[in-house]
Amino acid sequence: MKYALSFLILNLCSYTFLIAAEPVTTLIRQKWDPVQAGNQVMECLVTVTGKEVKGAHDAEMVLTGNRAYIVAEVNDTRAGESAGWPEIYCALSIVNLKTLTLEKVIPFARSEQVFQNATLPVGACFVPRILQLNKHTLRCYFASEQPGKRQAQTWYRDFNLQTQSFADTIHKAKVKTAAGTFEMQPRYFHADAASQGFEKKAKDFGLYLFDSFKEFDGQTYVAINNFPGKQNALAKVNPDGDTFEIIGHYNEPQSVALSESAVNRLPDGSWMAICRNDGGKRNYYFTTSPDGRTWSVGKQLPFVSDGTNSKPTFDRFGDTYYLGWQEATKVDGVTRSVFNIDISRDGKNWERKYRFETPHSFQYPTFCEYDGAIWLAVTQGDHSPSRKERIMFGKLEDSGASHSKVDRKQ
């Protein structure tokens, strides 16, 4: 039974106090334990990188046809990753969603690889992303870079779902700015931001499609960034999936070091982004925009505290937002070993749903909804300081599980 007011009578030292308390509306059911929920998820994760892989990081995925198609940057020589390691290549893992078995791993881009129409230069193939273009095609993007030697370039290679094979060709992605359409290289991204008052120095590498692709009103968007340049923007993807149009930059305040953002639309149609911060205490910053073009000066918000410099996530499944962020707390001294997921219906009031605590780390997760469930891929490791050794995959929850509006009397 619901009441507008509830009353709690306390008898202390022979005095009686009558306290009125409003019921609290919550999305989390009673006795929900975020740590236990996180542990249960981690217990069921499976490794989706090849046995030869020593270092792995930064996965993204598309789920279709009862399979997960997961791209990641990997290498076979050492744990961790760096844009300066030319041995890093991009691979696609194919996982059966019914059995959670790894069916195949297909490397698709590596330094000096020869294709029918082009040969990649020396350099790491870095930060892959994946987008389903149509019923039969997955497009896999990656950055080819060699810091200090040349401009990085974002390329793409298509995967045919019918033949389960990659095309023999690769193609250069493009970036569209106020000055025109160019090959997708850091210099053009920087010049567009600089024309709007961005003062940080240009970098010749680090331009990435960072956030998961998201669709609003029939249009696909993605947050892009330059990590070493501490530069961020919202971009719109053209229908052909080969050009990224810069809609609006968000880099303020420039006194901090913002990058690696995740974006979403709020119920009123405005935008919000959560940004990694590599300066000061490293807690996350938030910025908002009415139209995706003009953004507020970023600030920290009270519902995210004690965050640290790592990739955030910001998804909406059904009518519920999922905000993921790395906490500075360390398990057994391991960095990126605590990751929180908070949920909300309005983007303002948040409740803790999952808390992942593990000495294997829980970093750079990505989430995807498919066929009545929410799935995740995440970077973990055992021994190296960075814990970037493998990509794990599994189910987060059935869609809508464990949360609905409940009025609790407090």
Side-chain angles (χ1 to χ4, degrees):
M1 184 179 297
K2 298 178 181 178
Y3 298 92
L5 291 173
S6 59
F7 296 94
L8 178 63
I9 298 175
L10 301 178
N11 194 334
L12 298 175
C13 301
S14 75
Y15 290 93
T16 300
F17 297 86
L18 190 63
I19 302 174
E22 293 285 352
V24 176
T25 300
T26 178
L27 300 177
I28 305 294
R29 69 182 182 219
Q30 284 186 309
K31 297 183 180 180
W32 179 265
D33 184 340
V35 175
Q36 182 181 27
N39 289 341
Q40 290 173 346
V41 170
M42 288 189 289
E43 287 172 2
C44 298
L45 297 179
V46 297
T47 302
V48 294
T49 36
K51 293 181 179 179
E52 69 281 0
V53 167
K54 300 292 192 301
H57 196 41
D58 210 347
E60 275 285 355
M61 60 185 169
V62 164
L63 276 60
T64 184
N66 289 319
R67 288 186 174 92
Y69 296 87
I70 305 165
V71 293
E73 58 186 43
V74 298
N75 80 88
D76 304 339
T77 61
R78 48 182 162 168
E81 45 81 49
S82 169
W85 299 353
E87 68 266 31
I88 290 185
Y89 62 96
C90 295
L92 174 73
S93 297
I94 304 174
V95 181
N96 186 304
L97 294 180
K98 300 297 183 182
T99 62
L100 284 188
T101 55
L102 178 61
E103 295 184 340
K104 188 184 297 185
V105 178
I106 308 174
F108 66 88
R110 67 171 72 238
S111 177
E112 299 183 274
Q113 186 169 351
V114 178
F115 296 91
Q116 188 178 51
N117 65 328
T119 298
L120 286 172
V122 173
C125 291
F126 219 55
V127 189
R129 294 294 180 255
I130 185 168
L131 174 67
Q132 184 164 5
L133 282 187
N134 52 53
K135 184 177 180 181
H136 301 305
T137 307
L138 302 179
R139 178 154 291 174
C140 297
Y141 304 89
F142 61 95
S144 169
E145 52 192 12
Q146 192 179 20
K149 304 285 183 157
R150 60 178 172 87
Q151 283 286 311
Q153 171 67 48
T154 298
W155 298 78
Y156 63 85
R157 187 180 182 189
D158 288 344
F159 181 81
N160 188 308
L161 288 166
Q162 291 178 299
T163 63
Q164 294 284 288
S165 62
F166 276 98
D168 292 331
T169 56
I170 58 172
H171 304 275
K172 291 181 177 181
K174 298 177 181 179
V175 60
K176 183 177 180 181
T177 71
T181 301
F182 309 94
E183 292 180 342
M184 195 164 182
Q185 298 177 359
R187 56 185 165 183
Y188 303 115
F189 183 42
H190 181 271
D192 194 53
S195 70
Q196 299 181 33
F198 185 65
E199 298 178 351
K200 288 184 169 66
K201 293 182 179 180
K203 301 292 182 179
D204 63 6
F205 73 108
L207 172 57
Y208 307 128
L209 305 174
F210 196 75
D211 193 20
S212 300
F213 292 100
K214 298 183 175 79
E215 186 172 310
F216 304 103
D217 302 324
Q219 175 65 58
T220 302
Y221 295 85
V222 66
I224 67 177
N225 78 308
N226 186 298
F227 175 69
K230 305 307 174 189
Q231 184 184 346
N232 308 274
L234 176 68
K236 181 168 61 175
V237 188
N238 72 334
D240 290 334
D242 60 6
T243 302
F244 297 85
E245 179 182 357
I246 305 303
I247 302 301
H249 297 270
Y250 44 94
N251 298 307
E252 300 294 340
Q254 293 185 49
S255 57
V256 293
L258 304 181
S259 67
E260 295 190 345
S261 68
V263 299
N264 218 306
R265 288 267 294 274
L266 298 178
D268 63 2
S270 64
W271 295 82
M272 184 166 76
I274 175 175
C275 302
R276 168 177 170 165
N277 171 28
D278 285 86
K281 294 185 177 180
R282 300 181 176 181
N283 194 30
Y284 295 89
Y285 274 63
F286 290 82
T287 177
T288 57
S289 170
D291 55 7
R293 299 183 182 277
T294 303
W295 292 79
S296 66
V297 175
K299 61 182 180 180
Q300 298 181 40
L301 294 177
F303 54 83
V304 171
S305 61
D306 197 29
T308 193
N309 53 334
S310 189
K311 175 187 177 180
T313 63
F314 191 15
D315 299 290
R316 186 178 184 181
F317 301 120
D319 60 357
T320 303
Y321 293 97
Y322 285 63
L323 182 72
W325 55 279
Q326 202 89 55
E327 190 175 302
T329 303
K330 296 180 180 181
V331 176
D332 295 344
V334 174
T335 59
R336 296 179 176 174
S337 54
V338 177
F339 192 88
N340 299 311
I341 298 179
D342 301 328
I343 65 171
S344 171
R345 290 273 167 79
D346 59 10
K348 299 176 182 178
N349 301 290
W350 296 89
E351 300 173 63
R352 180 65 40 79
K353 189 167 187 185
Y354 294 97
R355 182 177 175 85
F356 298 94
E357 300 179 347
T358 170
H360 301 295
S361 88
F362 195 96
Q363 56 180 306
Y364 279 60
T366 185
F367 303 93
C368 184
E369 188 173 25
Y370 175 75
D371 196 25
I374 300 171
W375 301 81
L376 77 146
V378 64
T379 299
Q380 292 194 305
D382 299 319
H383 307 296
S384 64
S386 71
R387 295 298 200 270
K388 299 173 184 175
E389 298 165 32
R390 60 180 179 272
I391 304 299
M392 306 296 290
F393 172 78
K395 184 189 288 188
L396 180 72
E397 63 184 45
D398 294 323
S399 298
S402 74
H403 61 85
S404 59
K405 281 192 175 182
V406 178
D407 287 331
R408 291 187 195 159
K409 289 177 286 183
Q410 298 273 319

